[in-house]
Amino acid sequence: MNHTKNYGLPQWELNDLIRMEDFNAMNNSIEAGLDSNAAAAASAVNIANFAKSTATVAQQAAGNAYSPDNKPYVVGSFTGNGGTKEINLGFRPSLVIICSDQMASNSVAAGSRIAMSAGGVNPQRIAITKTGFRVTYTSSVPFPTINYANGTFDYIAFR
């Protein structure tokens, strides 16, 4: 009896007796090869899925990375309306700093040109919202002077 070159499977010739042991050994060899291939294919699928998820995570991280177009803060300005004004940033800021154009004549008033809030201090003047912040001018509380009518205010809001 001859055997195949790569897998050693029996190749009977005319004068060979077909024996049950040879036939069973051949089938066991074929089954072991199929099992090995199935395991390798499943492993390849797992590796491919892991690579795909890693690529997705990397793409998301790259999208969140700092760049000139994706800063951890935004800056802007608004004109005061003498009451309450909502500033929509599209995100909830962790800290807002506002500077007014008020011209102060003494050092106490000069300090009133800048105000900041992280949401806990002075929420009736600067309130952090889900999408930005809200400023309120109240003439009964002169400092900090936020959102007075026709005033110009610059802000920086950190993500």
Side-chain angles (χ1 to χ4, degrees), residues 19 64 90 116 121 128:
R19 298 182 328 176
N64 293 333
M116 71 175 85
V121 177
I128 304 293

Side-chain angles (χ1 to χ4, degrees), residues 78 83 98 114-115 125-126 135-138 142 144-148 153:
F78 63 92
I98 301 171
I114 299 174
R125 299 307 289 270
I126 305 172
V135 291
T136 302
Y137 174 75
T138 305
T145 51
I146 307 248
N147 198 35
Y148 55 86
F153 301 87

Side-chain angles (χ1 to χ4, degrees), residues 91-109:
F91 63 91
R92 179 182 178 87
S94 60
L95 175 68
V96 175
I97 302 172
I98 301 171
C99 179
S100 75
D101 67 349
Q102 177 188 19
M103 298 306 292
S105 59
N106 59 51
S107 61
V108 174

Side-chain angles (χ1 to χ4, degrees), residues 11-134:
Q11 287 190 320
W12 287 275
E13 296 177 359
L14 269 179
N15 57 353
D16 290 337
L17 296 175
I18 297 176
R19 298 182 328 176
M20 179 181 66
E21 296 84 19
D22 292 334
F23 190 76
N24 289 343
M26 176 187 68
N27 284 331
N28 287 337
S29 177
I30 290 171
E31 185 162 352
L34 291 172
D35 287 345
S36 176
N37 285 344
S43 178
V45 167
N46 289 338
I47 291 169
N49 287 338
F50 179 75
K52 183 179 177 182
S53 67
T54 301
T56 300
V57 169
Q59 186 176 20
Q60 289 170 345
N64 293 333
Y66 172 81
S67 71
D69 294 329
N70 189 25
K71 297 175 182 166
Y73 60 88
V74 296
V75 296
S77 62
F78 63 92
T79 301
N81 64 8
T84 298
K85 186 172 197 133
E86 295 276 339
I87 309 298
N88 186 352
L89 305 171
F91 63 91
R92 179 182 178 87
S94 60
L95 175 68
V96 175
I97 302 172
I98 301 171
C99 179
S100 75
D101 67 349
Q102 177 188 19
M103 298 306 292
S105 59
N106 59 51
S107 61
V108 174
S112 72
R113 294 185 64 210
I114 299 174
M116 71 175 85
S117 179
V121 177
N122 208 6
Q124 65 274 25
R125 299 307 289 270
I126 305 172
I128 304 293
T129 66
K130 290 181 180 181
T131 59
F133 61 97
R134 180 176 49 253

